[in-house]
Amino acid sequence: MLTHYFELRAIPQLELSDIEVMNQVMQSLHYCLAKYQGQIGICFPCYSKKRQTLGGIIRLFGTEQQLNALKQALNQQYIVQDYTIMMAIQPIPMTKDDGGHRYLLVSRVRTKGMSALRRSEKRLTAQGVWNEDVRQAMIKKWGDVSLSYPHCHLKSVSNGQHFILWVNQRFVAKEHAGNFNSYGMSQSATVPHF
């Protein structure tokens, strides 16, 4: 259950842009969130799809005990210490505008690219079913995904490859409980918006 929150606020740097700071902080945060097995959620209060930015604030949600442990783990990360201000843990406020909280669904957007198309072509050619119609159907299906979401650039811990984490944050009417991934996001679980 999400009862408390705290924020990480990026400190502007001369040598790094806000985007680069957020990339580094999200990488450090990912290392720490993996230990909480889906219990800590995230949102980006300054998220802007129009400007394609996550903004300079990360808000984390969980129980007070979980967030205290997370703060201790984050204090061991020099990137977080040097490039952010870690705010105090506070109870989630109740809003009065609609009698309760409004909620956000923060989810990862996965896209299929040319590498997926090449892998499919190789596999389906070996099976003898690859042709131009199959290729066009895959391009049509995968081409529907918009890459106009705010994002950050990360490096995979497991294989060392660099990738882009596309983020979709949207309002939803009702609260949904569930687990979060190691980035604090979910395809169904919501976090409060205030």
Side-chain angles (χ1 to χ4, degrees):
M1 175 176 230
L2 307 177
T3 59
H4 288 72
Y5 78 99
F6 77 92
E7 293 178 348
L8 296 172
R9 296 182 181 181
I11 300 171
Q13 304 291 317
L14 291 176
E15 71 275 7
L16 294 174
S17 69
D18 286 350
I19 293 169
E20 292 170 315
V21 170
M22 287 298 283
N23 290 342
Q24 296 296 321
V25 172
M26 282 298 294
Q27 185 75 53
S28 295
L29 189 57
H30 171 56
Y31 293 138
C32 296
L33 284 179
K35 299 172 188 167
Y36 292 92
Q37 300 182 7
Q39 300 303 306
I40 295 181
I42 193 171
C43 80
F44 304 92
C46 300
Y47 178 95
S48 173
K49 192 170 180 181
K50 184 176 181 178
R51 292 187 351 227
Q52 292 189 11
T53 181
L54 296 174
I57 301 174
I58 299 171
R59 189 174 288 159
L60 297 153
F61 298 90
T63 65
E64 187 174 14
Q65 181 181 9
Q66 291 166 337
L67 294 178
N68 275 318
L70 177 61
K71 278 184 89 167
Q72 288 177 358
L74 288 171
N75 275 325
Q76 306 301 315
Q77 303 286 325
Y78 77 92
I79 294 291
V80 175
Q81 286 180 345
D82 292 348
Y83 296 117
T84 67
I85 298 171
M86 206 176 318
M87 306 304 287
I89 296 172
Q90 300 180 44
I92 295 171
M94 293 297 292
T95 57
K96 300 291 183 188
D97 59 338
D98 59 349
H101 295 297
R102 292 191 304 168
Y103 298 95
L104 291 171
L105 181 62
V106 183
S107 57
R108 179 178 183 180
V109 178
R110 293 183 182 257
T111 60
K112 298 283 188 176
M114 289 306 294
S115 60
L117 185 63
R118 285 190 296 272
R119 286 191 303 273
S120 294
E121 180 179 4
K122 184 177 179 181
R123 185 181 70 252
L124 294 174
T125 299
Q127 294 173 2
V129 295
W130 182 259
N131 60 41
E132 188 59 30
D133 292 335
V134 171
R135 177 184 174 84
Q136 292 305 318
M138 286 183 172
I139 290 172
K140 182 178 179 183
K141 177 182 175 184
W142 293 343
D144 290 340
V145 178
S146 171
L147 298 180
S148 62
Y149 292 99
H151 59 278
C152 57
H153 296 261
L154 301 174
K155 183 178 179 182
S156 172
V157 177
S158 60
N159 63 21
Q161 292 183 341
H162 293 270
F163 67 97
I164 299 174
L165 177 69
W166 302 93
V167 179
N168 183 19
Q169 178 172 290
R170 60 186 176 91
F171 292 104
V172 293
K174 294 183 180 178
E175 179 180 21
H176 295 280
N179 289 328
F180 301 96
N181 65 18
S182 60
Y183 300 103
M185 300 175 197
S186 176
Q187 295 299 321
S188 60
T190 59
V191 295
H193 173 72
F194 48 89

